[in-house]
Amino acid sequence: MQLHKYERIWLILGIVSLIVFLAILAYGAFWKGTHPQSAMETVDPANVSANEHFKEDNLGLTKVDDNQYVLNVIASSFNFDLGKDDEGKPVKKVRVPKGSSVLFQITTTDVVHGFNVAGTNANMMVEPGHISRDEIQLNRPGIYTIVCNEYCGIGHHQMFAELEVYE
Ligand code: CUA
């Protein structure tokens, strides 16, 4: 088969870039552990509190071990329910020490919402009927805004909370 010189160059360039892209993908997936969120577990969206993680007492931040936390959240239009504080007021901010690992477990009672801890890899779609899960380690102190990044209606921009990582 006769290939024109430029055709051959382009072909090689295409194949090489494909190999490079696949190698980057494989590196991310197998060495860096990058993976899509888990949404395997299902829940009744009309009765999320029947699920252990989303019972009123289990909402919000729980320390499970040294530097290990679980954050259970119910998303709904237009709020992230992180439980209530000692005075019965809704929690809007949670704090963990630097170096902590936090497992986020989120579900929604109505429409599709997003759950993104801005500036980190925690970025999930939250679908009715499913529990979205992701665990990240927080090594950089600071205040991270948790935002809904799926347009969910008129109050979408008001759906946020805060996560503080302290020294
Ligand atoms: Cu919830 Cu946008």
Side-chain angles (χ1 to χ4, degrees), residues 94-161:
V94 291
R95 298 176 81 239
V96 297
K98 181 180 140 185
S100 300
S101 174
V102 182
L103 170 68
F104 301 102
Q105 304 189 117
I106 331 287
T107 193
T108 161
T109 57
D110 41 41
V111 297
V112 173
H113 294 280
F115 184 91
N116 173 216
V117 184
T120 73
N121 280 345
N123 189 354
M124 297 185 266
M125 199 182 211
V126 186
E127 296 157 282
H130 293 267
I131 300 174
S132 297
R133 249 192 211 105
D134 198 6
E135 187 163 15
I136 60 165
Q137 194 157 8
L138 294 148
N139 296 322
R140 260 184 306 134
I143 295 173
Y144 297 82
T145 309
I146 299 172
V147 292
C148 173
N149 57 3
E150 292 284 339
Y151 183 72
C152 52
I154 194 112
H156 164 68
H157 63 288
Q158 284 166 338
M159 255 187 103
F160 61 88

Side-chain angles (χ1 to χ4, degrees), residues 38-44 47-62 64 69-75 81-84 103-109 129-134:
S38 153
M40 295 296 285
E41 203 177 323
T42 56
V43 63
D44 177 7
N47 188 18
V48 293
S49 55
N51 184 290
E52 187 65 26
H53 308 305
F54 305 109
K55 279 200 182 107
E56 209 178 324
D57 293 343
N58 293 340
L59 283 181
L61 191 72
T62 309
V64 288
Y69 295 82
V70 174
L71 184 67
N72 294 331
V73 184
I74 299 174
D81 190 346
L82 305 176
K84 295 198 168 66
L103 170 68
F104 301 102
Q105 304 189 117
I106 331 287
T107 193
T108 161
T109 57
H130 293 267
I131 300 174
S132 297
R133 249 192 211 105
D134 198 6

Side-chain angles (χ1 to χ4, degrees), residues 12-23:
I12 291 167
L13 220 70
I15 291 168
V16 169
S17 359
L18 187 66
I19 291 167
V20 169
F21 292 152
L22 285 175

